[in-house]
Amino acid sequence: MSSKLEVVGLKKAYKSADVLRGVSFDVRDGEFLSILGPSGCGKTTLLRLLIGLLAPDEGHIYKDGAEITHERPDRRGMGIVFQNYALFENMTAKKNVAYALRFHGMTKAEAMARADEMIAAVGLTEHADKLPRSLSGGQQQRVAIARTLALSPDIVLLDEPMSALDVATRLSMRAELLRLGREFGTTLIYVTHDQEEAFALSDRIMIMDGGEISQLDTPENIVAHPANAYVQSFVLDNLRAKVDSLSRFTGGIGGGA
Ligand SMILES: Nc1ncnc2c1ncn2[C@@H]1O[C@H](COP(=O)(O)OP(=O)(O)OP(=O)(O)O)[C@@H](O)[C@H]1O
Ligand SMILES: [Mg+2]
């Protein structure tokens, strides 16, 4: 796989506090990359720099080999899904999707046809004409994802998109997200502070601590070769504790796995 996104020496400070202290990494075309780290380590700041809602103090961002560090957000071919969905409350699910397309220059007929297609892709055809307040959290999240994918970004950034959902909805949304990523060939960068979610979804995981990357590798390699004591405790010991707390039940569920 070729490099879709390349980040070199990205730094950002607020007043005197360093939030990102020189972050460098690459993301491969079509990859599912999770960014995993505790609250306040700089995950959202990094996403905002990638999509251009914030300017870095230092460093460079390249997409498909071309520098985009100072490119306008709407010219980066990236989409973002925020944690709180941020739907327009006075527009139906379908109009939420169509609005963004109209904004980007499609005719009304084109926008409605594309919105229908995207609403179907996330399994919401029956709910297309409902307002957000009449949709469940998971359904609202699907609208937010459909709205972002409708513009055909080749990179989608997701900032803790599942944190407001119940466990069952999360599990079905995970499968949906993986399917959509594959279907549209999208490169996905997924921010989470949930170790299990990162391990379940990702081709590779970037583990952050205090504005730096502790390790960026496949789930298998992180388990086999944790880079330092932080990765061992924050990631692996936490995962182990989850597995242990469930192990006395799993023998009885589905024959144990
Ligand atoms: N506009 C701002 N002005 C000053 N400090 C900020 C600003 N935005 C973020 N910070 C600080 O930068 C640090 C990183 O914030 P960021 O939102 O990137 O964290 P995060 O990893 O996304 O955390 P969480 O998991 O809680 O969402 C935090 O200490 C935060 O208080
Ligand atoms: Mg955040």
Side-chain angles (χ1 to χ4, degrees):
M1 279 194 283
S2 53
S3 188
K4 186 76 200 166
L5 196 67
E6 195 183 345
V7 172
V8 184
L10 219 51
K11 288 191 184 174
K12 182 74 190 172
Y14 289 115
K15 301 213 173 96
S16 59
D18 289 338
V19 175
L20 292 179
R21 301 161 181 268
V23 167
S24 303
F25 62 98
D26 74 304
V27 188
R28 297 167 193 160
D29 196 11
E31 181 170 35
F32 196 119
L33 179 83
S34 286
I35 301 177
L36 176 64
S39 185
C41 75
K43 304 182 297 295
T44 296
T45 302
L46 177 55
L47 287 196
R48 293 171 66 84
L49 290 168
L50 292 183
I51 202 164
L53 295 172
L54 267 184
D57 299 332
E58 279 180 44
H60 303 272
I61 306 169
Y62 303 88
K63 185 176 169 224
D64 298 316
E67 176 147 24
I68 57 160
T69 316
H70 302 291
E71 187 66 275
R72 273 171 40 181
D74 58 342
R75 294 205 183 140
R76 294 187 184 208
M78 293 189 200
I80 189 162
V81 178
F82 294 104
Q83 176 170 359
N84 58 4
Y85 322 142
L87 299 179
F88 302 112
E89 288 299 327
N90 58 340
M91 290 185 201
T92 65
K94 180 171 158 181
K95 286 203 174 131
N96 260 280
V97 178
Y99 182 81
L101 297 167
R102 289 281 281 152
F103 198 75
H104 281 77
M106 277 193 189
T107 66
K108 191 168 182 186
E110 284 167 346
M112 285 308 198
R114 175 80 175 142
D116 272 333
E117 191 186 325
M118 291 311 305
I119 288 285
V122 296
L124 284 181
T125 302
E126 280 171 49
H127 305 283
D129 299 321
K130 287 187 180 172
L131 292 172
R133 64 169 169 273
S134 308
L135 296 169
S136 73
Q139 290 165 344
Q140 289 182 50
Q141 187 58 297
R142 280 163 209 248
V143 176
I145 291 171
R147 187 174 60 176
T148 299
L149 290 176
L151 294 164
S152 306
D154 47 3
I155 302 177
V156 172
L157 314 176
L158 300 115
D159 196 354
E160 307 205 32
M162 312 283 190
S163 54
L165 306 179
D166 66 73
V167 176
T169 310
R170 272 184 195 217
L171 287 176
S172 68
M173 288 295 294
R174 278 185 195 176
E176 194 98 340
L177 198 58
L178 286 172
R179 183 181 66 73
L180 288 168
R182 276 196 298 270
E183 191 173 319
F184 292 90
T186 316
T187 303
L188 295 162
I189 302 181
Y190 186 96
V191 161
T192 180
H193 55 245
D194 183 328
Q195 294 87 350
E196 193 230 336
E197 197 159 83
F199 274 77
L201 285 169
S202 315
D203 296 311
R204 290 189 305 158
I205 303 172
M206 181 168 126
I207 298 167
M208 286 183 69
D209 179 25
E212 287 175 325
I213 300 174
S214 289
Q215 188 166 10
L216 200 181
D217 212 332
T218 62
E220 293 80 2
N221 285 343
I222 290 170
V223 170
H225 309 288
N228 55 34
Y230 169 76
V231 174
Q232 179 65 47
S233 65
F234 172 71
V235 184
L236 299 182
D237 293 350
N238 272 321
L239 270 182
R240 169 62 53 198
K242 268 194 189 174
V243 171
D244 286 348
S245 72
L246 290 171
S247 62
R248 63 199 174 103
F249 302 114
T250 47
I253 302 174

